[in-house]
Amino acid sequence: MYQQILKELEPHAAHLVAVSKTKPVEAVMILYEQGQRDFGENRVQELLPKYEALPKDIRWHLIGHLQSNKVKYIARFVHLIHSVDSLDLLREIDKQALKHGRVIDCLLQFHIAEEETKFGLLWEELSEWPTEVFEAFPHARITGVMGMATFTDDHKQVKAEFRRLREIFDKVKARFFSHEPAFCELSMGMSDDYRIALEEGSTMVRIGTLLFGAREG
Ligand SMILES: *Cc1c(COP(=O)(O)O)cnc(C)c1O
């Protein structure tokens, strides 16, 4: 399955983040040995022991909701935070990155789904922020956007939501990052909908179940 997914991503030049949440380090190692280096976790409490136990050339992605008071635990090593949904969080990431002499790459998470439970910003909010707002956080570099579609079998709806995220990407780039080549990532697509996401321009898919099997609970 791993090799097949890589093959599907190739024509889109998209990256794979293997989502290892709830799975043991042994499962991570099996993919690691096949060459996979980007892994995603959604909880800091689970990411920390995995970071400690696993090879240090793994690039860890934090894909779940992140509380500001937890940033300090991951700031020294996290590769990309996909879930920035407030300026307070961005401020804290900037502060902790500075402490560790790093620049931490971040994605702005947008709410595109129907469900109310999913976190994320709205374009309507961002469109009112001053265009230079992100310059205040030089140690937190915004490299793109992330979003999750509604959990539904309705192919058309999922496609429309990903298309909206793509449009948001374009608008955020035009308003805030038009001179920033680093702003280039569109993180969208999971096990059930990554093919639709690729059609809509995803540069990074986050896949768990298809690679590791179903999660319990
Ligand atoms: C769990 C999770 C995924 C992966 O979901 P699968 O359906 O198992 O592929 C992707 N993105 C986020 C934010 C997640 O929490």
Side-chain angles (χ1 to χ4, degrees):
M1 187 43 85
Y2 175 58
Q3 296 300 338
Q4 189 200 313
I5 292 172
L6 289 185
K7 239 183 232 151
E8 285 182 63
L9 298 183
E10 216 175 70
H12 301 273
H15 303 286
L16 171 65
V17 177
V19 177
S20 51
K21 63 188 185 195
T22 79
K23 299 298 175 183
V25 294
E26 291 77 14
V28 174
M29 277 313 292
I30 290 173
L31 276 193
Y32 179 88
E33 278 157 12
Q34 295 180 67
Q36 180 66 19
R37 290 296 179 271
D38 290 272
F39 289 89
E41 289 284 334
N42 67 340
R43 292 169 68 239
V44 169
Q45 304 91 294
E46 192 177 343
L47 173 53
L48 285 178
K50 281 181 173 155
Y51 167 72
E52 295 300 341
L54 284 157
K56 292 299 172 280
D57 61 340
I58 287 180
R59 295 183 287 267
W60 287 106
H61 296 243
L62 199 286
I63 61 173
H65 184 65
L66 178 59
Q67 288 172 312
S68 293
N69 61 8
K70 302 241 171 88
V71 175
K72 56 178 176 284
Y73 301 117
I74 59 170
R76 76 197 142 103
F77 68 88
V78 71
H79 175 68
L80 177 62
I81 298 174
H82 289 233
S83 46
V84 172
D85 59 1
S86 73
L87 283 180
D88 283 344
L89 178 58
L90 197 62
R91 188 172 297 116
E92 180 63 15
I93 293 169
D94 180 66
K95 181 178 143 190
Q96 295 297 334
L98 172 61
K99 257 190 199 168
H100 290 86
R102 305 183 61 205
V103 173
I104 297 178
D105 285 348
C106 299
L107 305 179
L108 298 172
Q109 181 176 356
F110 283 88
H111 179 103
I112 52 167
E114 230 171 44
E115 295 111 330
E116 283 183 10
T117 52
K118 289 189 178 154
F119 294 99
L121 296 154
L122 298 175
W123 165 250
E124 290 69 29
E125 290 172 64
L126 251 82
S127 63
E128 304 198 334
W129 293 1
T131 52
E132 66 285 354
V133 61
F134 296 108
E135 290 167 22
F137 313 112
H139 298 271
R141 182 172 74 158
I142 310 290
T143 59
V145 306
M146 179 272 231
M148 273 184 276
T150 304
F151 185 69
T152 170
D153 290 337
D154 186 344
H155 185 283
K156 265 198 189 144
Q157 179 176 354
V158 171
K159 199 169 173 69
E161 289 174 356
F162 284 148
R163 185 159 296 178
R164 265 205 63 230
L165 186 61
R166 170 66 205 244
E167 288 163 6
I168 290 170
F169 171 91
D170 291 338
K171 286 193 276 197
V172 172
K173 183 164 176 73
R175 180 170 173 88
F176 300 101
F177 302 106
S178 53
H179 302 294
E180 271 293 338
F183 187 91
C184 61
E185 299 289 0
L186 183 49
S187 168
M188 62 186 191
M190 307 172 29
S191 291
D192 287 336
D193 56 20
Y194 74 96
R195 289 191 175 118
I196 309 172
L198 289 170
E199 288 167 10
E200 294 304 322
S202 172
T203 66
M204 198 179 271
V205 297
R206 311 174 309 270
I207 295 182
T209 307
L210 269 186
L211 292 168
F212 294 107
R215 290 176 295 272
E216 283 168 37

